[in-house]
Amino acid sequence: MTTKDPVCGMTIDPATAAGHVEYAGQTYYFCSTGCVTKFRANPDRYVVRPPPDGHAHEKAGHGKSVPKSAAPVSADVKYTCPMHPEIIRDAPGSCPICGMALELMTPTAQEGPSRELIDMSRRFWVSVSICVPLIAIAMGKHIAIPALGWLARWPYSNWAEFALATPIVFWCGWPFFVRGWQSIISLRLNMYTLISIGVGVAYSFSLIATLAPDVFPQAFKNHHGLVNVYFEAAGAIVALVLLGQVLELRARGATSSAIRALLNLAPKTARKIETDGDEHDIPLESVHAADRLRVRPGEKVPTDGSVVEGQTSIDESMMTGEPIPVEKHVGDRVVCGTLNGTGSFIMEATKVGGATLLAQIVALVSESQRSRAPIQRLVDQVSAWFVPAVVIASVITFIVWLLVGPSPALAFALVNAVAVLIIACPCALGLATPMSIMVGVGRGAQMGVLIRNAEALERMEKVDTLVVDKTGTLTEGKPRVSTIETVHDLDANHILQRAASLERGSEHPLASAIVEAAKERNLNLNDAKDFQSLTGLGVVGIVDGQHILLGNMGLMKKHGVDGSILDERVQALRIEGNTVMYVALDQKLAGIIAVADPIKASARESLDAIRALGIKTIMLTGDSRATAEAVAKTLGIDSVEAEVLPEQKNQIVAKLKAAGSIVAMAGDGVNDAPALASADVGIAMGSGTDVAIQTAGVTLVKGDLSGIVKTRRLSVATMRNIRQNLFFAFIYNAVGVPIAAGVLYPLTGTLLSPMIAAAAMSLSSVSVIGNALRLRHTEIWTETSAPKSTPTSRANVQM
């Protein structure tokens, strides 16, 4: 992609521009510093800004015709390095640390080759076309082929090689020299340092041998009186490194496929219903909150919202990984990008643009792909010493061969020193971790598992204890009133009406259940006065002049209310999995309201699978021990912490960590946030509160415990892949460098050609990326471990 200098109109590549200027929210690129200075002095003279009617002016400034196609780049676009995510730039270019091409921080939905790939591909094919005759001439001088035998005696063969090698080295390989020089002046040696030195030495030696062969002693000349040159080695190294760059850029582009798939989920338009009933399609970016939208059969849901009319089934597999469509009725939530089935419905938009779940997922996945795993620290330490060590090894190789090598010693020393420089590949080492993280995080997003950072993904592999909140985690989080019992022949509807009137201002799941039960019975709710919520106890207030207490036995005792008359019934209800709340009217016990919440269908199988992975399970709840143990028995949970106040959850997690456990905490409420933050890995249910999701290191979009098993398996697969990559990179260099130095020569008489070293170096990076891409097809969830549907159980609910 090119742009035009707004001052002189020259077409330039932003990657090689002499400078750029931000103006009026746009970025402009320039061919020279002179154009930069002119633009900064009077930018309005060169910038065409359309008037309100949208028609651009033909002239600007002093009657000067202004280029209309400056093609500015949006200032919001950011570029970063795949190996060094701390490097962030406003324009494409190369990383100042490793020299690699910068890439977009968040890929766009449009697929296609990057500008870097297009440029490297062009240079590669030019180098190949010139390299073929170059190698033919060079090999013809050494191989006994009758048709090429004259080359060995041709006095101008070196000049022919020089003519062919020069454009390869100085045009095709120019980016390597630029990046190599930048690495030297910044004292950040990298892969391009080694390549530029190696190619430069081979070309320079050959150039001197061609221009001034007499400066070499007779021992350096062959029997035809010519000094052997290595133009073909310099040209072939450039061509092979370019091949490696092309393959690497293509593979790196594939690591962003998960984000592109997510971006493509959103439709381009939405069908808006106006207040007068008229319907028409509008661009998605024109949708606002509270707009009413029609979603027809087979269409994608355009934004987050709720169903206000109609019913349908929606395929949410692209967001949750679950293939079974979900039934949607009036009041149900729908998510941007999911696929509508055969029904038609009207929805009200609640979240649009960057606020939608899909947009947040894309941002989260992109951010986490750039994060660094703790294991990367070891790689960084090794890489800091790697290139200087290779340069020293090359110098030592040159000296040793020069001193003890066979004749011509200088030629042997040069070839082997260059081979050492070329075969060492710090990129393979540097790419080992980030490539696996990028692919692993993207694969997780496709399964409905959102990884906030690489550290959470790495730690999840080592987790040995899982602490789970109950409400909304083990249960559906949609409790319903199951039983109302009264004393002294009081009417059940009367105490329900009082309790619902008191609770209707609360967002607590228990409050919602009581209010919903009152609505189902068509009870009129009145305003409550002096409302108080007492953490861990319940709520108090006045309704129609009557003092109401609604909560647990602790609340009753605090206000001197005797609830012992119902102890036996309360115990029985708790054993059945109900949460029981006492109701007192004017300081006298009136009855109890029991609320039950269905256990999630996959909870038992998921917990069984988690325990099969060697992870101990602990349930935290504010309920009484009797009801908590009843739920734990149903689900086979190892340990229970009952009657826990919200602030105690964090203390329990800290205590487990202090005992040496690696703890994952799963929850969905605001009161879970501190525990999620203090756990080694915080896991938030996607159906939970925003603060829980923002605090956790992992978010399960579907809010299903089966996602924890997926996360663990994904972590194991990703870390295994990283270790494989590091093994390949370390072993490759540990074996390749000594061979290139010539350690096998005394035993076998074999030396490693710089051309072979270049091919091996390029393929090492490609092999690391290729291995990372295997994660896209790794089976994270197998049939034998997938949860199966079970009959819905009843359980209590208590935040």
Side-chain angles (χ1 to χ4, degrees):
M1 179 178 178
T2 59
T3 184
K4 284 190 177 182
D5 186 323
V7 175
C8 66
M10 179 181 293
T11 300
I12 55 174
D13 184 347
T16 58
H20 67 278
V21 175
E22 304 287 340
Y23 180 70
Q26 308 252 342
T27 303
Y28 296 91
Y29 296 91
F30 303 89
C31 66
S32 65
T33 55
C35 287
V36 174
T37 302
K38 290 179 181 179
F39 183 87
R40 284 176 173 163
N42 187 6
D44 286 331
R45 179 180 179 183
Y46 305 102
V47 175
V48 177
R49 286 194 276 181
D53 63 0
H55 298 289
H57 292 293
E58 294 294 328
K59 304 284 183 179
H62 302 284
K64 176 178 176 175
S65 178
V66 181
K68 296 181 184 179
S69 55
V73 178
S74 171
D76 293 333
V77 176
K78 300 293 183 181
Y79 295 81
T80 187
C81 173
M83 284 172 53
H84 300 90
E86 68 272 20
I87 301 299
I88 299 176
R89 297 289 185 267
D90 293 331
S94 58
C95 175
I97 298 177
C98 66
M100 295 184 68
L102 302 181
E103 56 189 35
L104 283 169
M105 293 185 68
T106 302
T108 61
Q110 290 76 28
E111 293 190 47
S114 64
R115 283 176 290 177
E116 177 79 4
L117 176 56
I118 293 173
D119 180 59
M120 288 296 178
S121 297
R122 180 169 55 245
R123 294 176 189 272
F124 166 68
W125 287 113
V126 171
S127 68
V128 168
S129 63
I130 303 176
C131 229
V132 170
L134 173 62
I135 293 177
I137 294 174
M139 294 299 100
K141 295 191 296 184
H142 305 290
I143 302 176
I145 299 178
L148 299 177
W150 61 276
L151 288 173
R153 300 182 300 276
W154 188 35
Y156 301 106
S157 61
N158 286 3
W159 286 99
E161 290 184 47
F162 162 71
L164 291 170
T166 299
I168 298 177
V169 171
F170 288 102
W171 186 79
C172 300
W174 184 249
F176 304 150
F177 288 101
V178 172
R179 295 173 184 180
W181 175 248
Q182 290 174 344
S183 71
I184 293 173
I185 61 177
S186 65
L187 298 179
R188 288 174 167 174
L189 307 184
N190 54 47
M191 160 187 175
Y192 299 100
T193 314
L194 305 179
I195 294 173
S196 57
I197 293 176
V199 172
V201 168
Y203 180 86
S204 300
F205 174 88
S206 303
L207 180 63
I208 296 172
T210 301
L211 296 177
D214 293 337
V215 302
F216 292 91
Q218 189 62 35
F220 280 80
K221 299 179 181 179
N222 57 32
H223 57 280
H224 296 292
L226 300 174
V227 178
N228 289 329
V229 294
Y230 301 96
F231 286 121
E232 85 286 357
I237 288 170
V238 170
L240 289 167
V241 173
L242 284 169
L243 173 61
Q245 292 284 290
V246 170
L247 295 176
E248 180 183 314
L249 287 167
R250 286 181 177 174
R252 278 165 52 189
T255 62
S256 301
S257 60
I259 292 184
R260 282 197 296 268
L262 290 171
L263 289 168
N264 284 320
L265 290 178
K268 301 297 184 287
T269 62
R271 189 163 188 82
K272 182 179 179 181
I273 303 175
E274 301 291 352
T275 53
D276 59 2
D278 181 46
E279 298 183 14
H280 57 94
D281 292 334
I282 61 173
L284 189 62
E285 54 268 22
S286 298
V287 176
H288 298 89
D291 282 352
R292 289 166 61 88
L293 310 171
R294 182 179 296 280
V295 183
R296 292 165 292 192
E299 291 183 338
K300 291 181 178 179
V301 178
T303 186
D304 290 1
S306 58
V307 178
V308 295
E309 184 180 320
Q311 62 182 33
T312 187
S313 61
I314 293 183
D315 180 1
E316 298 183 338
S317 60
M318 63 284 293
M319 301 293 288
T320 65
E322 299 298 328
I324 301 175
V326 179
E327 295 291 331
K328 298 291 182 179
H329 304 278
V330 174
D332 288 342
R333 186 181 75 154
V334 290
V335 179
C336 173
T338 53
L339 184 64
N340 185 28
T342 57
S344 176
F345 67 95
I346 297 174
M347 62 173 288
E348 179 180 311
T350 56
K351 293 182 179 180
V352 298
T356 64
L357 177 61
L358 178 61
Q360 292 175 0
I361 289 174
V362 170
L364 179 61
V365 172
S366 180
E367 177 185 350
S368 61
Q369 285 186 334
R370 305 298 177 192
S371 61
R372 299 169 73 81
I375 195 173
Q376 182 68 27
R377 298 188 191 116
L378 170 63
V379 179
D380 292 341
Q381 293 172 355
V382 173
S383 298
W385 294 96
F386 183 82
V387 174
V390 171
V391 173
I392 293 173
S394 177
V395 172
I396 293 174
T397 299
F398 181 86
I399 294 173
V400 170
W401 277 94
L402 189 64
L403 295 177
V404 301
S407 180
L410 181 60
F412 278 107
L414 177 68
V415 170
N416 290 311
V418 169
V420 169
L421 288 172
I422 297 302
I423 200 170
C425 184
C427 273
L429 192 61
L431 288 170
T433 298
M435 287 298 105
S436 296
I437 293 295
M438 287 184 71
V439 179
V441 168
R443 178 69 196 282
Q446 292 174 328
M447 299 187 304
V449 176
L450 305 183
I451 312 296
R452 179 168 291 277
N453 54 60
E455 183 175 1
L457 186 62
E458 179 176 337
R459 284 183 174 273
M460 190 64 194
E461 181 196 33
K462 303 174 182 177
V463 166
D464 56 26
T465 303
L466 173 66
V467 178
V468 290
D469 173 57
K470 182 161 62 61
T471 306
T473 304
L474 296 176
T475 66
E476 296 287 353
K478 297 178 180 179
R480 294 180 61 83
V481 172
S482 59
T483 301
I484 302 175
E485 296 191 9
T486 66
V487 296
H488 308 308
D489 296 324
L490 287 173
D491 181 43
N493 283 347
H494 178 70
I495 69 169
L496 178 60
Q497 187 268 345
R498 290 292 192 259
S501 296
L502 185 64
E503 288 277 35
R504 69 174 179 169
S506 173
E507 296 181 355
H508 194 288
L510 291 179
S512 300
I514 293 172
V515 173
E516 187 63 29
K519 289 180 179 180
E520 290 175 358
R521 300 190 185 196
N522 297 316
L523 302 178
N524 294 322
L525 304 185
N526 300 323
D527 293 334
K529 299 179 180 179
D530 299 332
F531 176 86
Q532 282 185 290
S533 176
L534 305 176
T535 303
L537 296 175
V539 293
V540 299
I542 298 175
V543 177
D544 294 337
Q546 195 168 35
H547 189 266
I548 314 296
L549 301 175
L550 176 64
N552 57 24
M553 179 55 75
L555 179 64
M556 298 297 113
K557 290 181 178 179
K558 181 176 180 180
H559 288 267
V561 177
D562 182 10
S564 59
I565 188 175
L566 292 174
D567 280 353
E568 186 176 338
R569 183 57 180 148
V570 168
Q571 187 68 13
L573 287 169
R574 285 174 174 170
I575 292 175
E576 292 173 3
N578 290 271
T579 294
V580 181
M581 290 167 286
Y582 293 85
V583 182
L585 306 179
D586 291 330
Q587 309 300 117
K588 294 181 180 180
L589 182 68
I592 55 175
I593 299 177
V595 176
D597 182 26
I599 292 176
K600 290 182 177 179
S602 62
R604 177 62 194 242
E605 281 72 19
S606 296
L607 288 171
D608 287 344
I610 290 169
R611 284 189 294 272
L613 294 171
I615 300 175
K616 178 183 178 182
T617 55
I618 300 174
M619 182 179 73
L620 296 185
T621 178
D623 282 334
S624 66
R625 179 157 296 277
T627 53
E629 289 180 349
V631 175
K633 183 177 180 181
T634 302
L635 295 176
I637 293 175
D638 299 319
S639 179
V640 174
E641 293 285 347
E643 301 174 357
V644 176
L645 295 176
E647 61 269 19
Q648 293 177 321
K649 293 184 177 182
N650 188 31
Q651 297 171 6
I652 292 172
V653 170
K655 182 179 178 181
L656 290 169
K657 290 176 63 177
S661 299
I662 308 297
V663 181
M665 167 70 186
D668 74 330
V670 173
N671 58 346
D672 297 322
L676 291 172
S678 64
D680 292 289
V681 181
I683 303 173
M685 302 294 112
S687 55
T689 60
D690 289 343
V691 67
I693 294 173
Q694 292 168 3
T695 304
V698 177
T699 298
L700 308 180
V701 175
K702 190 170 183 280
D704 194 294
L705 287 177
S706 62
I708 297 177
V709 184
K710 294 179 184 178
T711 307
R712 173 59 173 250
R713 294 183 183 276
L714 178 65
S715 174
V716 170
T718 302
M719 295 310 300
R720 180 172 60 241
N721 192 270
I722 288 175
R723 294 186 187 101
Q724 290 169 350
N725 284 345
L726 291 175
F727 175 80
F728 292 153
F730 279 119
I731 291 300
Y732 164 81
N733 286 292
V735 174
V737 171
I739 292 177
V743 296
L744 297 180
Y745 185 78
L747 302 175
T748 64
T750 302
L751 291 176
L752 188 66
S753 165
M755 288 185 288
I756 302 300
M761 182 274 293
S762 297
L763 291 176
S764 67
S765 292
V766 175
S767 65
V768 165
I769 298 174
N771 186 55
L773 289 175
R774 289 193 310 110
L775 279 173
R776 295 190 301 174
H777 309 291
T778 300
E779 287 297 328
I780 303 298
W781 190 261
T782 63
E783 290 296 327
T784 57
S785 62
K788 303 172 184 177
S789 297
T790 58
T792 301
S793 303
R794 306 293 291 180
N796 60 313
V797 58
Q798 175 76 31
M799 290 294 285

